[in-house]
Amino acid sequence: MIAEVITKRNIIEVKNLVKYYPVLGGVLKRVVAHVRAVDGVSFNINQGETLGLVGESGCGKSTVAHTMIRLLKKTSGTVEFDGKDIFSIKSDELKQMRQNMQIVFQDPYASLDPRLPIGDSIAEGLKIHHLGTKQQQFEQVLAIMKKVGLEDYHAVRYPHEFSGGQRQRIGIARALVLNPKFLVLDEPVSALDVSVQAQVLNLLKQLQQEMGLTYLFVAHNLGVVEHISDRVAVMYLGKIVEITSREQLFLKPMHPYTQALMSAIPVANPKLKKERLILPGDVPSPLNPPSGCRFHPRCPIAREDCKQVEPELRDILPGHQAACHYA
């Protein structure tokens, strides 16, 4: 009973998060427009669960991930971690909070310093936060390396001496060495071979169980999301259009955009025919998004009011929300 209550406690609460990028123009380089990368996103993540955040490239999912851990400045909105708004706390408290909020980046090579042995890269967080003596830091680095499947002798090697899968294990070790509560996984397997993807995903699930971690898993591969997520949020052009449990989303997607994404998933049985929903046109620009529902120019069930009235993210079924007037 106690374990069940702990599991369902919110650890992350995102409310109306907005991130605009200014567009400068003219001789004086004044702001003439804004790119609406994230435009009013709200969701929560429960302790110990994995929330998958999916959508097409450019929909704003990585911007959400980076803004919510304050790697980017917000335009408006709030993000609460363990009940504290991370945008209102001062630098000292933020530094303390960063021990509990870490990120694994998409490119495992670009996120590592090529001049540092990977043991030093993993230990950087411990040195910045002044955790333990040098000997204790060394022992902790070796322990976390072993946990992610690396050997002790790897500590003195440089990033270019490792494969892509090994580099991503190094990135995971660097994020976990501070023993955080919450981990942002920004497309951590998209640059890896399929066989290596499975190894890394299984490792992440194992680490989550052993360390009681909470994940935000950003991806565009629905097969990967289905494998690792407990709940899934679907983004389109800066907004969440559907959010529900993994089982419900793959069993009965409600939003037309999600249905189109699901129809693109390959079927393992060559004899089984699957109807493919082809969306017309291209994704509109976030510089000038459509009025009303942002999906209406490509939506197969759009009506006249979809062009004027923006749909709210509402409950269609218990625990299943969709931003569509006719879902």
Side-chain angles (χ1 to χ4, degrees):
M1 181 63 71
I2 295 176
E4 183 179 351
V5 172
I6 292 176
T7 302
K8 293 184 178 180
R9 183 176 70 86
N10 282 358
I11 190 171
I12 293 284
E13 187 81 30
V14 179
K15 299 177 184 176
N16 298 317
L17 185 63
V18 174
K19 175 60 181 177
Y20 290 173
Y21 293 98
V23 177
L24 306 180
V27 178
L28 300 178
K29 297 296 182 183
R30 292 176 176 171
V31 177
V32 295
H34 288 91
V35 176
R36 302 180 180 183
V38 179
D39 203 2
V41 165
S42 299
F43 59 85
N44 67 282
I45 308 177
N46 297 324
Q47 185 172 4
E49 81 165 350
T50 300
L51 176 68
L53 188 60
V54 302
E56 294 172 288
S57 296
C59 72
K61 54 189 185 295
S62 289
T63 305
V64 169
H66 292 183
T67 305
M68 64 184 287
I69 59 174
R70 209 166 146 176
L71 292 182
L72 295 173
K73 292 183 179 180
K74 66 167 184 174
T75 300
S76 64
T78 61
V79 178
E80 293 184 359
F81 176 75
D82 264 350
K84 291 185 179 180
D85 183 3
I86 69 166
F87 293 109
S88 63
I89 60 178
K90 296 182 179 179
S91 57
D92 291 343
E93 193 174 358
L94 178 63
K95 182 179 178 182
Q96 184 70 25
M97 185 174 286
R98 287 208 186 279
Q99 292 187 44
N100 291 316
M101 302 176 71
Q102 291 291 310
I103 183 169
V104 176
F105 294 98
Q106 178 178 359
D107 188 340
Y109 188 66
S111 61
L112 295 171
D113 188 338
R115 300 166 298 177
L116 279 183
I118 65 109
D120 291 347
S121 290
I122 295 172
E124 274 189 314
L126 298 172
K127 295 174 182 176
I128 290 169
H129 291 277
H130 308 291
L131 299 176
T133 63
K134 286 187 177 182
Q135 181 61 29
Q136 290 171 333
Q137 292 174 0
F138 177 72
E139 292 172 357
Q140 195 162 344
V141 166
L142 294 183
I144 200 67
M145 285 175 59
K146 184 177 181 181
K147 194 177 284 286
V148 301
L150 296 170
E151 301 296 335
D152 292 357
Y153 62 84
H154 287 149
V156 296
R157 292 187 177 180
Y158 290 84
H160 71 272
E161 300 180 73
F162 295 91
S163 66
Q166 287 176 318
R167 288 176 195 151
Q168 199 57 285
R169 290 172 186 267
I170 295 165
I172 294 169
R174 187 176 58 177
L176 294 181
V177 73
L178 292 172
N179 196 25
K181 296 179 181 178
F182 174 62
L183 210 59
V184 170
L185 302 165
D186 186 10
E187 303 203 38
V189 297
S190 62
L192 307 178
D193 295 335
V194 175
S195 59
V196 181
Q197 284 185 14
Q199 294 172 13
V200 173
L201 289 173
N202 290 333
L203 172 65
L204 289 170
K205 293 182 74 172
Q206 179 185 337
L207 291 170
Q208 185 176 36
Q209 293 174 354
E210 291 177 0
M211 303 177 70
L213 297 166
T214 303
Y215 291 155
L216 173 69
F217 191 91
V218 178
H220 57 262
N221 186 328
L222 286 167
V224 169
V225 170
E226 183 180 17
H227 179 72
I228 197 169
S229 301
D230 298 304
R231 289 188 301 131
V232 182
V234 182
M235 280 192 73
Y236 181 80
L237 206 60
K239 287 185 174 289
I240 289 179
V241 297
E242 187 165 3
I243 183 168
T244 185
S245 67
R246 173 193 60 200
E247 295 83 2
Q248 189 67 20
L249 189 82
F250 284 84
L251 178 67
K252 192 174 183 180
M254 292 291 187
H255 197 280
Y257 175 64
T258 311
Q259 292 168 1
L261 289 180
M262 294 297 178
S263 74
I265 300 176
V267 180
N269 186 352
K271 296 181 180 179
L272 184 65
K273 293 184 179 180
K274 187 175 183 180
E275 184 181 356
R276 177 74 193 276
L277 301 177
I278 306 296
L279 297 176
D282 297 322
V283 180
S285 170
L287 189 63
N288 186 26
S291 60
C293 175
R294 297 190 174 189
F295 187 60
H296 84 258
R298 308 175 71 196
C299 182
I301 63 170
R303 303 181 190 178
E304 193 61 32
D305 56 343
C306 297
K307 302 177 183 179
Q308 309 298 330
V309 183
E310 183 177 337
E312 294 183 357
L313 195 64
R314 60 187 178 91
D315 287 328
I316 308 297
L317 294 171
H320 194 154
Q321 295 179 307
C324 179
H325 296 303
Y326 302 104

